[in-house]
Structure formats: C-alpha cells, structure tokens
Amino acid sequence: MLTAARWMTNRFADAIRARLRTVHDRLSADGTPVDLATLWMHTLPSPHPDAGDLIDTAQAELRAKWARILDLPPDARRVRLTTAELADRVRREFAEPGDGWSLARYISPDLLVVAEDADALARGDVGLVLGEMHCALNTMGASLFVHQHPDRDRLIAETTRDFPGPRLLPTLPKELPLRWSTRSRPSLDRPEDHYVTLVDQTGDPHRPNSVPSADVRVEDRDGRLTAVLPDGTAHDVLDAYANTLTQRVMDRFTLRPEGEHTPRITIDRMTVARETWQLPVGDVDFADEKSEAARFVRARHWQRRHDLPRFVFVVSPTEPRPFYVDFDSPVYVTILAKAARRLARKDPGARLKVSEMLPTPEQAWLTDADGHRYTSELRFVAVDLTVTGTQEA
C-alpha cells in the first residue's frame, strides 16, 4: 500500500509538472525571466486549475490497478489474501522510483488494533484495521503535536535524517482551505531551511533564509523547472507548491473498487478495506416519515433489505465528517434520516456511503480507570528514502 500510495503521488506530480511547464513556457516565450510569484499567480487556484481533474484521473488509475491485483470475486462479503500472493502483482503494477515533491516522501497510515480484551492483546491474538492513509504528509509534523512534544529537538533530528540538506518550504497563505489551520500548520522547520513567501503578510520578514517569491527565479535546468534563490540555492519548483499538492492527494488513496457493494478485504492479519455500500439517497424511504416509531421500523426494514450491520459509519456529501449510526437506536436513525433529507434536497441522485464499524464496540479493549472501553489508533509515519540513495527504510 505504501508503494501504491507513492505511485499515486508520483503520477499526480508528473501531471502537475507538465501543466507548470506549459505556463512557464508561455511566460518565458519572449525571453523574459520568470519569477516564482508570477508563475504562482498564473497557476491559481494552486497548484493548477486542472488539479482536481488530474487527481481524479490518478485515483481512477489507482483503483483499476488494485482491481487487477485483488481480482475480487463477485458478490463476496469477505475476502482474505496474503502478502505473498499479492507481492509480485503489486510490483508489476506500481514499481517505479519516487519523483514527487518533498512532502510526497511521507505516507502516514493510521492503524487500529482489534482485540477482544487486554488479555487477548497480551497474547498477540489481535488483528489490525487500516483507518486512513494520509498521503504526502507527516501527520506528526502538525503544530499541535510538535509544540506539545516533550522533546521537539528529537523530532527535528528525525526530520534531518529524512532531509539531510536544506529544504524549500512555502509559507502558507491565510486563504488556503480550512484543512490548513493553526492546529495543523507544519512545524518541523529548521534554521537551515529556506522559506519562500508566496503572498503578502504571510511570513516573518526577520526569519533567516526567508525570501519573497518575486525574488526567486524559475529556470529550466536539465529539463526540470527549478526554483533558484537569490543566493544561488536551487530546489525543485514543486517544493514551492508542496502543501497545495498535498492538499489534493492527502485523502485520495484507496484500493476499493467502485461499486454498489464492496467486501471487507483482509491481507494477512490487517483489514485494509471495510465492507462498504453505496446506496441511493432516493431509496432511503424512511427519511420523510414524520412518526418516530414508524421511521424507526421502516429504517430497520431498509437496513435488513441491504443486509447492513447494526453499527455503521455514513458519509454524505453534505456532511463535513462521517457520522455514526446504530440501527438499534431511534436517535441515531433520526440523525441518519435528517442527513438523507438534506442530501436529497441538494442532489436527489446522490448516494450515501455506508461502511461497517470495525473494530466493533465489543472489540474495544482499551480501558480507563473507570473501566470504560475505547478503541485505540496507532499513528505511523513512513518515509521513502529511495531518492536519497540510502538503503535505510
């Protein structure tokens, strides 16, 4: 999955490079030098107006490759595979060196540990569930983690292992989408790193190694667009777009094929895709029922008609986050009905994405002092070091 995620970011990077090249060639056609500020302004919304279509295309290719790799049987509810039987297929579909932007070397998977209780955990009688795969992002580099860490210098030292030389870091405009906030602002910067300010009033003018983007030349060096700072330091121009590139790809990894129903997929002991349904909102026949009792009964019929489990998470295009539903609870059924009504008013042809809850409440092994049980998520950060020539991993 790490290999496939890196393939996706590489594919997107190649497509954006081609678009930036077209804009740069147009701006420099009369021999005028091109600065980064001019290139940035001519590629808004960053990283390029075509970025949405480009990542959609890359994700569609990713799904098609996984469909060939997994070769899922039709109508299956549970599929179990092994790394041994998939390894050669993955290499055939995805093997290629990394060549994206600096942040694209990071992939941050979140894993949940499934166990019946603490004793099962101690015995090693556990499974794993892939929560999210954050692409082109070091999730531990967010300000909320860095500034509360007891040893920030240790995090900086790990960053230096990943990037022995200075990096080019863009200052993030205030106008960027809400995912970049004070809470999530990347904070693992070092004095030797170069900051480039892309819009007015977004950077500290007194910080060493900070330069305005208007003072950064964009040149073709050996067939690659390169950002050249006033002191002659050169970086791949994609690094100036790093955060807006990551914004487009960070949650686009998937190995689940498109379809009204996809099975739970488990590789060795790790579930990499929960069982999922894509259900037309127009068929949610209980959503407009006024009587709570009747709505609850009709929702239970709808649940059983689609063979849904009791506990699910639902994703609606009109809701900011996935939400939990317990079909044994009239309150949660009402929440689902309201979300369905909102979606139906906006887009009657839309679908709700319903996924099984995994781990289930019975598999919440982590207890507090009062005996309350919780799920436990482990956050990992993987870094691709193949581009540095080192054999470490």
Side-chain angles (χ1 to χ4, degrees):
M1 288 186 295
L2 294 174
T3 299
R6 189 65 205 269
W7 175 91
M8 182 185 69
T9 62
N10 292 343
R11 194 72 162 175
F12 184 56
D14 289 343
I16 293 295
R17 284 188 203 279
R19 297 304 193 279
L20 296 183
R21 164 69 64 181
T22 298
V23 176
H24 181 270
D25 289 351
R26 185 178 74 244
L27 294 173
S28 61
D30 60 357
T32 302
V34 178
D35 60 73
L36 180 58
T38 301
L39 183 66
W40 179 273
M41 293 301 294
H42 280 81
T43 52
L44 292 175
S46 184
H48 191 273
D50 293 343
D53 292 337
L54 296 175
I55 189 57
D56 286 346
T57 298
Q59 187 185 54
E61 292 181 46
L62 180 71
R63 286 186 189 274
K65 286 177 174 289
W66 274 114
R68 291 191 291 271
I69 291 168
L70 297 172
D71 192 21
L72 299 174
D75 302 323
R77 298 289 301 269
R78 304 285 184 267
V79 174
R80 287 191 170 273
L81 301 162
T82 67
T83 54
E85 62 187 302
L86 297 181
D88 287 342
R89 303 180 206 172
V90 169
R91 281 191 287 268
R92 283 196 300 269
E93 295 285 352
F94 294 118
E96 63 175 38
D99 191 28
W101 60 102
S102 56
L103 274 177
R105 292 173 55 204
Y106 287 118
I107 308 290
S108 299
D110 297 339
L111 298 181
L112 294 97
V113 178
V114 179
E116 296 302 325
D117 52 36
D119 291 337
L121 182 74
R123 293 193 307 269
D125 185 12
V126 300
L128 298 173
V129 177
L130 178 67
E132 294 179 281
M133 184 85 108
H134 306 282
C135 296
L137 183 66
N138 177 355
T139 51
M140 300 309 298
S143 59
L144 81 157
F145 292 122
V146 174
H147 296 305
Q148 297 181 76
H149 196 279
D151 189 358
R152 182 178 184 272
D153 290 343
R154 182 179 175 187
L155 299 182
I156 293 296
E158 291 296 324
T159 303
T160 299
R161 286 185 62 196
D162 301 339
F163 297 95
R167 295 170 296 168
L168 180 65
L169 303 176
T171 55
L172 301 182
K174 181 180 179 181
E175 294 80 9
L176 276 178
L178 294 178
R179 289 192 182 188
W180 298 110
S181 63
T182 302
R183 173 180 176 272
S184 60
R185 185 182 69 82
S187 297
L188 288 177
D189 58 319
R190 305 164 299 175
E192 63 267 30
D193 292 328
H194 296 95
Y195 262 110
V196 58
T197 56
L198 297 163
V199 295
D200 291 340
Q201 301 176 342
T202 60
D204 179 0
H206 303 291
R207 183 194 182 280
N209 292 332
S210 292
V211 297
S213 54
D215 293 343
V216 178
R217 300 189 315 277
V218 180
E219 301 178 355
D220 185 331
R221 293 192 175 183
D222 299 323
R224 180 175 294 240
L225 291 184
T226 303
V228 183
L229 277 60
D231 65 359
T233 303
H235 297 272
D236 189 328
V237 76
L238 282 193
D239 288 352
Y241 290 81
N243 297 99
T244 57
L245 289 163
T246 291
Q247 180 77 34
R248 298 288 186 165
V249 305
M250 60 190 294
D251 59 358
R252 297 301 292 268
F253 177 83
T254 183
L255 49 70
R256 182 185 293 110
E258 293 281 13
E260 294 184 1
H261 171 263
T262 52
R264 180 193 298 178
I265 304 170
T266 303
I267 301 175
D268 296 333
R269 287 203 296 177
M270 185 165 73
T271 295
V272 297
R274 298 174 173 92
E275 187 175 13
T276 301
W277 297 258
Q278 300 273 1
L279 303 176
V281 70
D283 291 347
V284 183
D285 53 9
F286 60 88
D288 293 319
E289 175 60 59
K290 300 299 183 182
S291 164
E292 182 179 49
R295 182 168 59 244
F296 178 71
V297 171
R298 292 179 66 181
R300 293 293 294 267
H301 284 302
W302 181 81
Q303 173 207 2
R304 292 173 182 173
R305 187 163 65 247
H306 293 289
D307 202 12
L308 303 178
R310 173 184 170 183
F311 304 111
V312 299
F313 281 94
V314 179
V315 176
S316 168
T318 57
E319 305 298 323
R321 300 285 294 175
F323 58 93
Y324 166 75
V325 174
D326 175 358
F327 281 105
D328 281 7
S329 165
V331 172
Y332 282 110
V333 166
T334 298
I335 291 172
L336 174 59
K338 289 181 178 179
R341 289 198 299 271
R342 282 193 292 268
L343 180 58
R345 284 196 297 268
K346 182 176 181 180
D347 182 2
R351 289 176 175 265
L352 292 168
K353 178 181 176 182
V354 181
S355 298
E356 63 173 328
M357 181 182 184
L358 191 70
T360 65
E362 293 79 16
Q363 294 167 326
W365 53 267
L366 183 65
T367 56
D368 63 13
D370 297 322
H372 298 139
R373 294 159 64 95
Y374 301 86
T375 57
S376 175
E377 183 178 88
L378 302 179
R379 176 162 284 186
F380 291 87
V381 180
V383 60
D384 179 359
L385 296 182
T386 59
V387 294
T388 69
T390 177
Q391 297 302 308
E392 295 182 24

